[in-house]
Amino acid sequence: MQNIYEKINELRKLGKDLVLVTVTEKEGMGPADVGKKMLVDEDNNALGTVGGGAIEFYAREKCKEVLKERRSFSEKYLLSGKEVFVDKENVVLPMACGGKVTLFYEFVGPKQYLYIFGAGHCGAALARVIKPLGFHTTIIDERQIVINQLDDSVDIKVAEGFVDYIHNHGLRENAYIVVCTPSHTNDYHVLNAILEQKYKPAYFGMLCSKKKIAEYMEKAYEQFGHDIKLDNFYSPIGLSIGGNSPEEIAISIAAEILSVYYGKEDINSHLRDTLDKTILPKK
């Protein structure tokens, strides 16, 4: 059987979210010995075991919650009941063993997934800045030459048309998206594709001047109507920290991404907030 840690490494390289379930405590009888492990991926495939039976079935279902909430926690189980219910301290499972077991559910994955459309100076700098912050990055660019120049700070490098990538591979829900392609036409096409597909990113930022975004928003409202959801759309992108080098722009974007991730909605230095309120709804 493949080693669980080898499997974790293999699946993480593919950008899969995982849950590692470990038996951390045991009292009395039961099949779940301390140290047993089970790895469950986002497709509900499992490797290893935490004892089988009702506890393992329940644990695999619990992993769906862990993957959705992207957090780790422990839970105690009493293996003595005819049905599943929760008493004051434990989840009671229909097993006749009579023992108690504690499982630790460890979420294994990035904080979130970041798609960067455009592998030029700003896109590449953003990947370098955000690498140690726990985000999984995918950079898409139709120019093979700039894809080849990217370093190991990028998890997945894709040489493909910007909109083609969205149509061919899709985007994860609640992901973070930054658009900084080499032309405003491509930028607009990416935004149009996201609106057409009705994706719901947690953050969607576009590198754009006030003048250009005003022009585009007028076209977007004509095409999609005024009911399109733009609460999570940030353009001009980044926090107003000063500086206009690719690295400084990347830091401002990364800071804005973190402010959204941690729910710091009281920050008043988003560059998009300098726009005329009639152009883009303020969050």
Side-chain angles (χ1 to χ4, degrees):
M1 179 182 290
Q2 185 177 14
N3 181 282
I4 278 182
Y5 295 104
E6 292 176 350
K7 190 67 173 179
I8 290 173
N9 187 49
E10 173 189 318
L11 293 176
R12 286 300 305 125
K13 287 181 179 178
L14 297 175
K16 297 281 188 178
D17 287 341
L18 312 167
V19 183
L20 181 62
V21 188
T22 305
V23 181
T24 56
E25 291 183 274
K26 176 184 175 181
E27 300 176 25
M29 301 295 292
D33 296 325
V34 172
K36 279 189 173 180
K37 299 179 185 296
M38 177 176 67
L39 181 67
V40 180
D41 68 18
E42 58 192 35
D43 300 315
N44 205 32
N45 300 310
L47 176 65
T49 180
V50 289
I55 188 170
E56 190 160 306
F57 177 82
Y58 187 87
R60 288 183 68 166
E61 290 299 302
K62 196 72 177 179
C63 286
K64 297 176 183 178
E65 177 183 325
V66 179
L67 289 165
K68 182 178 180 180
E69 297 183 2
R70 309 180 74 81
R71 67 182 182 90
S72 304
F73 57 86
S74 291
E75 196 165 74
K76 290 187 177 182
Y77 301 95
L78 175 61
L79 310 181
S80 178
K82 294 183 179 180
E83 58 185 22
V84 179
F85 64 93
V86 181
D87 66 15
K88 293 181 179 180
E89 297 181 354
N90 316 282
V91 177
V92 181
L93 297 177
M95 297 181 73
C97 313
K100 288 185 178 182
V101 173
T102 300
L103 298 183
F104 175 56
Y105 296 87
E106 180 182 0
F107 173 71
V108 182
K111 281 179 176 156
Q112 255 301 350
Y113 290 83
L114 170 64
Y115 297 92
I116 303 174
F117 288 87
H121 297 301
C122 290
L126 176 58
R128 291 193 297 271
V129 166
I130 213 160
K131 175 67 173 179
L133 303 181
F135 288 80
H136 181 281
T137 58
T138 299
I139 288 190
I140 305 99
D141 201 299
E142 60 190 9
R143 301 166 295 172
Q144 184 70 60
I145 188 170
V146 293
I147 288 292
N148 292 342
Q149 292 171 351
L150 295 172
D151 59 27
D152 293 338
S153 60
V154 182
D155 295 292
I156 299 178
K157 310 166 188 177
V158 182
E160 190 172 358
F162 302 107
V163 173
D164 290 341
Y165 178 87
I166 296 173
H167 290 159
N168 294 336
H169 306 282
L171 303 172
R172 286 175 176 263
E173 289 296 334
N174 298 314
Y176 289 64
I177 301 170
V178 171
V179 180
C180 50
T181 76
S183 78
H184 288 302
T185 299
N186 284 327
D187 292 343
Y188 299 160
H189 286 165
V190 172
L191 179 52
N192 283 342
I194 290 171
L195 293 175
E196 288 169 356
Q197 298 294 325
K198 297 184 178 179
Y199 285 112
K200 298 177 180 178
Y203 172 92
F204 179 23
M206 188 162 73
L207 193 63
C208 192
S209 68
K210 293 180 184 180
K211 181 176 183 295
K212 287 293 183 182
I213 193 58
E215 292 173 358
Y216 176 70
M217 291 314 303
E218 184 177 346
K219 296 176 183 177
Y221 287 134
E222 287 178 3
Q223 182 172 351
F224 299 102
H226 284 267
D227 293 331
I228 52 177
K229 300 297 183 181
L230 294 170
D231 288 352
N232 295 335
F233 180 54
Y234 292 79
S235 186
I237 195 172
L239 297 186
S240 182
I241 63 174
N244 59 6
S245 72
E247 290 74 20
E248 290 166 330
I249 292 171
I251 289 170
S252 78
I253 297 171
E256 184 169 70
I257 286 173
L258 288 175
S259 75
V260 172
Y261 178 81
Y262 288 111
K264 298 296 184 180
E265 298 180 0
D266 55 338
I267 291 179
N268 295 316
S269 55
H270 294 283
L271 287 171
R272 73 160 185 177
D273 291 341
T274 64
L275 283 175
D276 185 328
K277 293 180 180 180
T278 63
I279 295 173
L280 187 67
K282 185 175 179 181
K283 191 174 180 180

Coordinates of all heavy atoms in Angstrom, one line a residue, residues 140-186:
I140 N -1.7 31.9 -15.6 CA -2.1 31.6 -17.0 C -1.7 32.7 -17.9 O -1.9 33.9 -17.6 CB -3.7 31.4 -17.1 CG1 -4.2 30.4 -16.1 CG2 -4.1 31.1 -18.5 CD1 -4.8 31.0 -14.8
D141 N -1.0 32.3 -19.0 CA -0.6 33.3 -20.0 C -0.5 32.6 -21.3 O -0.1 31.4 -21.4 CB 0.7 33.9 -19.6 CG 0.9 35.3 -20.3 OD1 0.9 35.3 -21.5 OD2 1.0 36.3 -19.6
E142 N -1.0 33.3 -22.4 CA -0.9 32.7 -23.7 C 0.5 32.7 -24.3 O 0.8 32.1 -25.3 CB -1.9 33.4 -24.6 CG -1.6 34.9 -24.8 CD -2.8 35.6 -25.5 OE1 -3.8 34.9 -25.7 OE2 -2.6 36.8 -25.8
R143 N 1.4 33.4 -23.6 CA 2.8 33.6 -24.1 C 3.7 32.6 -23.5 O 4.0 32.7 -22.3 CB 3.3 35.0 -23.9 CG 2.4 36.1 -24.5 CD 2.8 37.5 -23.9 NE 2.5 37.5 -22.5 CZ 2.8 38.6 -21.7 NH1 3.5 39.6 -22.2 NH2 2.4 38.6 -20.4
Q144 N 4.1 31.6 -24.2 CA 4.9 30.5 -23.7 C 6.2 31.0 -23.2 O 6.8 30.6 -22.2 CB 5.2 29.5 -24.8 CG 6.0 28.2 -24.3 CD 5.2 27.4 -23.4 OE1 4.2 26.8 -23.8 NE2 5.7 27.1 -22.2
I145 N 6.8 32.1 -23.8 CA 8.1 32.6 -23.4 C 8.0 33.2 -22.0 O 9.0 33.0 -21.2 CB 8.6 33.7 -24.4 CG1 10.0 34.1 -24.1 CG2 7.6 34.9 -24.4 CD1 10.6 35.0 -25.1
V146 N 7.0 33.8 -21.6 CA 6.9 34.4 -20.2 C 6.6 33.3 -19.2 O 7.0 33.3 -18.1 CB 5.9 35.6 -20.1 CG1 6.4 36.7 -20.9 CG2 4.5 35.2 -20.5
I147 N 5.8 32.3 -19.6 CA 5.6 31.1 -18.7 C 6.9 30.4 -18.4 O 7.2 30.0 -17.3 CB 4.6 30.1 -19.4 CG1 3.2 30.7 -19.4 CG2 4.6 28.8 -18.7 CD1 2.5 30.9 -18.1
N148 N 7.8 30.3 -19.4 CA 9.0 29.6 -19.2 C 10.0 30.4 -18.3 O 10.9 29.8 -17.7 CB 9.8 29.4 -20.6 CG 9.0 28.5 -21.5 OD1 8.2 27.7 -21.0 ND2 9.3 28.5 -22.8
Q149 N 9.7 31.7 -18.1 CA 10.6 32.5 -17.3 C 10.2 32.5 -15.8 O 10.9 33.0 -15.0 CB 10.6 34.0 -17.8 CG 11.3 34.1 -19.2 CD 11.1 35.5 -19.8 OE1 10.3 36.3 -19.3 NE2 11.8 35.8 -20.9
L150 N 9.0 31.9 -15.5 CA 8.5 31.9 -14.1 C 9.4 31.0 -13.3 O 9.9 29.9 -13.7 CB 7.1 31.4 -14.1 CG 6.1 32.3 -14.7 CD1 4.7 31.6 -14.8 CD2 6.0 33.7 -14.0
D151 N 9.5 31.3 -12.0 CA 10.3 30.5 -11.1 C 9.4 29.6 -10.3 O 8.2 29.4 -10.6 CB 11.2 31.4 -10.2 CG 10.4 32.3 -9.3 OD1 9.2 32.0 -9.0 OD2 10.9 33.4 -8.9
D152 N 10.0 28.9 -9.3 CA 9.3 27.9 -8.5 C 8.3 28.5 -7.5 O 7.6 27.7 -6.8 CB 10.3 27.0 -7.8 CG 11.1 26.1 -8.7 OD1 10.7 25.9 -9.8 OD2 12.2 25.7 -8.3
S153 N 8.1 29.8 -7.5 CA 7.1 30.4 -6.6 C 5.7 30.1 -7.1 O 4.7 30.2 -6.4 CB 7.3 31.9 -6.5 OG 7.3 32.5 -7.7
V154 N 5.6 29.7 -8.4 CA 4.3 29.4 -9.0 C 4.0 27.9 -8.9 O 4.9 27.1 -9.3 CB 4.3 29.8 -10.5 CG1 2.9 29.5 -11.1 CG2 4.6 31.3 -10.6
D155 N 2.9 27.5 -8.4 CA 2.5 26.1 -8.2 C 2.2 25.5 -9.5 O 2.6 24.3 -9.9 CB 1.4 25.9 -7.2 CG 1.7 26.4 -5.8 OD1 2.6 25.7 -5.2 OD2 1.2 27.4 -5.3
I156 N 1.3 26.1 -10.3 CA 0.9 25.6 -11.6 C 1.1 26.7 -12.7 O 0.6 27.8 -12.5 CB -0.5 25.1 -11.6 CG1 -0.7 24.0 -10.6 CG2 -1.0 24.6 -13.0 CD1 -2.1 23.5 -10.5
K157 N 1.8 26.4 -13.8 CA 2.1 27.3 -14.9 C 1.3 26.8 -16.1 O 1.5 25.6 -16.5 CB 3.6 27.4 -15.1 CG 4.4 27.7 -13.9 CD 5.9 27.5 -14.1 CE 6.7 27.5 -12.8 NZ 8.1 27.3 -13.0
V158 N 0.5 27.6 -16.7 CA -0.3 27.2 -17.8 C -0.1 28.1 -19.0 O -0.4 29.3 -18.9 CB -1.8 27.2 -17.5 CG1 -2.6 26.7 -18.7 CG2 -2.0 26.3 -16.2
A159 N 0.4 27.6 -20.1 CA 0.5 28.3 -21.4 C -0.7 28.1 -22.2 O -0.9 27.1 -22.9 CB 1.8 27.9 -22.1
E160 N -1.7 29.0 -22.1 CA -3.0 28.8 -22.8 C -3.7 30.1 -22.9 O -3.4 31.0 -22.1 CB -3.9 27.8 -22.0 CG -5.1 27.3 -22.7 CD -5.8 26.2 -21.9 OE1 -5.3 25.8 -20.9 OE2 -6.9 25.8 -22.4
G161 N -4.6 30.3 -23.8 CA -5.4 31.5 -23.9 C -6.1 31.8 -22.6 O -6.6 30.8 -21.9
F162 N -6.3 33.0 -22.2 CA -6.8 33.4 -20.9 C -8.3 32.9 -20.8 O -8.6 32.2 -19.8 CB -6.8 34.9 -20.8 CG -5.4 35.5 -20.9 CD1 -5.0 36.2 -22.0 CD2 -4.5 35.3 -19.8 CE1 -3.7 36.7 -22.1 CE2 -3.2 35.8 -19.9 CZ -2.8 36.5 -21.0
V163 N -9.1 33.2 -21.7 CA -10.5 32.8 -21.7 C -10.6 31.3 -22.0 O -11.5 30.6 -21.4 CB -11.4 33.6 -22.6 CG1 -12.8 33.0 -22.7 CG2 -11.4 35.1 -22.2
D164 N -9.7 30.8 -22.8 CA -9.7 29.3 -23.1 C -9.5 28.5 -21.8 O -10.1 27.5 -21.6 CB -8.6 29.0 -24.1 CG -8.9 29.5 -25.5 OD1 -10.1 29.8 -25.8 OD2 -7.9 29.6 -26.3
Y165 N -8.6 29.0 -20.9 CA -8.4 28.3 -19.7 C -9.7 28.2 -18.9 O -10.0 27.2 -18.3 CB -7.3 29.0 -18.9 CG -7.1 28.4 -17.5 CD1 -6.2 27.3 -17.4 CD2 -7.7 28.8 -16.4 CE1 -6.0 26.6 -16.2 CE2 -7.6 28.1 -15.2 CZ -6.7 27.1 -15.1 OH -6.5 26.4 -13.9
I166 N -10.4 29.3 -18.8 CA -11.6 29.3 -18.0 C -12.6 28.3 -18.5 O -13.3 27.5 -17.8 CB -12.2 30.7 -17.9 CG1 -11.3 31.7 -17.2 CG2 -13.6 30.7 -17.2 CD1 -11.7 33.1 -17.2
H167 N -12.8 28.3 -19.9 CA -13.7 27.4 -20.5 C -13.3 26.0 -20.4 O -14.1 25.1 -20.2 CB -13.9 27.8 -22.0 CG -14.6 29.1 -22.1 ND1 -14.6 29.9 -23.3 CD2 -15.5 29.8 -21.3 CE1 -15.3 31.0 -23.2 NE2 -15.9 30.9 -22.0
N168 N -12.0 25.7 -20.5 CA -11.5 24.3 -20.6 C -11.3 23.7 -19.2 O -11.5 22.5 -19.0 CB -10.2 24.3 -21.3 CG -10.3 24.6 -22.8 OD1 -11.4 24.5 -23.3 ND2 -9.2 25.1 -23.4
H169 N -11.0 24.5 -18.2 CA -10.6 24.0 -16.9 C -11.6 24.5 -15.7 O -11.6 23.8 -14.7 CB -9.2 24.3 -16.5 CG -8.2 24.0 -17.6 ND1 -7.8 22.7 -17.7 CD2 -7.6 24.7 -18.5 CE1 -6.9 22.6 -18.7 NE2 -6.8 23.8 -19.2
G170 N -12.2 25.6 -15.9 CA -13.1 26.1 -14.9 C -12.2 26.7 -13.8 O -11.0 26.7 -13.8
L171 N -12.9 27.4 -12.8 CA -12.3 28.0 -11.7 C -13.0 27.5 -10.4 O -14.2 27.3 -10.4 CB -12.4 29.5 -11.8 CG -11.9 30.2 -13.0 CD1 -12.2 31.7 -13.0 CD2 -10.3 30.1 -13.1
R172 N -12.2 27.4 -9.3 CA -12.8 27.0 -8.1 C -13.7 28.1 -7.5 O -13.4 29.2 -7.6 CB -11.7 26.7 -7.1 CG -10.9 25.4 -7.3 CD -9.8 25.2 -6.3 NE -9.1 24.0 -6.4 CZ -9.3 22.9 -5.7 NH1 -10.2 23.0 -4.7 NH2 -8.7 21.8 -5.9
E173 N -14.8 27.7 -6.9 CA -15.6 28.6 -6.2 C -14.9 29.2 -5.0 O -14.1 28.5 -4.4 CB -16.9 28.0 -5.8 CG -17.9 27.6 -6.9 CD -18.4 28.8 -7.7 OE1 -18.4 29.9 -7.1 OE2 -18.7 28.6 -8.9
N174 N -15.1 30.5 -4.7 CA -14.5 31.2 -3.6 C -13.0 31.4 -3.8 O -12.3 31.6 -2.8 CB -14.8 30.5 -2.3 CG -16.3 30.4 -2.0 OD1 -17.0 31.4 -2.1 ND2 -16.8 29.3 -1.6
A175 N -12.5 31.2 -5.0 CA -11.1 31.4 -5.2 C -10.8 32.9 -5.3 O -11.7 33.8 -5.2 CB -10.7 30.7 -6.5
Y176 N -9.5 33.2 -5.4 CA -9.0 34.6 -5.5 C -8.5 34.7 -6.9 O -7.7 33.8 -7.4 CB -7.9 34.9 -4.5 CG -8.5 35.0 -3.1 CD1 -9.1 33.9 -2.4 CD2 -8.4 36.2 -2.4 CE1 -9.6 33.9 -1.2 CE2 -9.0 36.3 -1.1 CZ -9.5 35.1 -0.5 OH -10.1 35.2 0.8
I177 N -8.8 35.8 -7.6 CA -8.5 36.0 -9.0 C -7.8 37.4 -9.2 O -8.4 38.4 -8.7 CB -9.7 35.9 -9.9 CG1 -10.4 34.5 -9.7 CG2 -9.3 36.1 -11.4 CD1 -11.7 34.4 -10.4
V178 N -6.7 37.4 -9.9 CA -6.1 38.6 -10.2 C -5.8 38.7 -11.7 O -5.3 37.7 -12.3 CB -4.7 38.8 -9.5 CG1 -4.0 40.0 -10.0 CG2 -4.9 39.0 -8.0
V179 N -6.3 39.7 -12.4 CA -6.1 39.9 -13.8 C -5.2 41.0 -14.1 O -5.4 42.1 -13.8 CB -7.5 40.2 -14.5 CG1 -7.3 40.3 -16.0 CG2 -8.5 39.0 -14.1
C180 N -4.1 40.6 -14.8 CA -3.0 41.6 -15.1 C -2.4 41.1 -16.5 O -1.2 40.9 -16.6 CB -2.0 41.7 -14.0 SG -1.3 40.2 -13.4
T181 N -3.3 40.9 -17.5 CA -2.8 40.5 -18.8 C -2.1 41.6 -19.5 O -2.1 42.8 -19.1 CB -3.9 40.0 -19.6 OG1 -4.7 41.1 -20.2 CG2 -4.9 39.0 -18.8
P182 N -1.4 41.3 -20.6 CA -0.7 42.4 -21.3 C -1.5 43.4 -22.1 O -1.0 44.3 -22.6 CB 0.2 41.6 -22.3 CG -0.4 40.3 -22.5 CD -1.1 40.0 -21.2
S183 N -2.9 43.2 -22.1 CA -3.7 44.1 -22.8 C -5.1 44.2 -22.1 O -5.6 43.3 -21.5 CB -4.0 43.7 -24.3 OG -4.9 42.6 -24.3
H184 N -5.6 45.4 -22.1 CA -6.9 45.6 -21.5 C -8.0 44.8 -22.2 O -9.0 44.4 -21.5 CB -7.3 47.1 -21.5 CG -6.5 48.0 -20.6 ND1 -6.4 47.7 -19.2 CD2 -5.7 49.0 -20.8 CE1 -5.7 48.6 -18.7 NE2 -5.2 49.4 -19.6
T185 N -7.9 44.6 -23.4 CA -8.8 43.7 -24.1 C -8.9 42.3 -23.5 O -10.0 41.8 -23.3 CB -8.5 43.6 -25.6 OG1 -8.5 44.9 -26.2 CG2 -9.5 42.7 -26.4
N186 N -7.8 41.7 -23.3 CA -7.7 40.4 -22.6 C -8.3 40.5 -21.2 O -9.0 39.6 -20.7 CB -6.3 39.9 -22.6 CG -5.9 39.3 -23.9 OD1 -6.7 38.8 -24.7 ND2 -4.6 39.5 -24.2

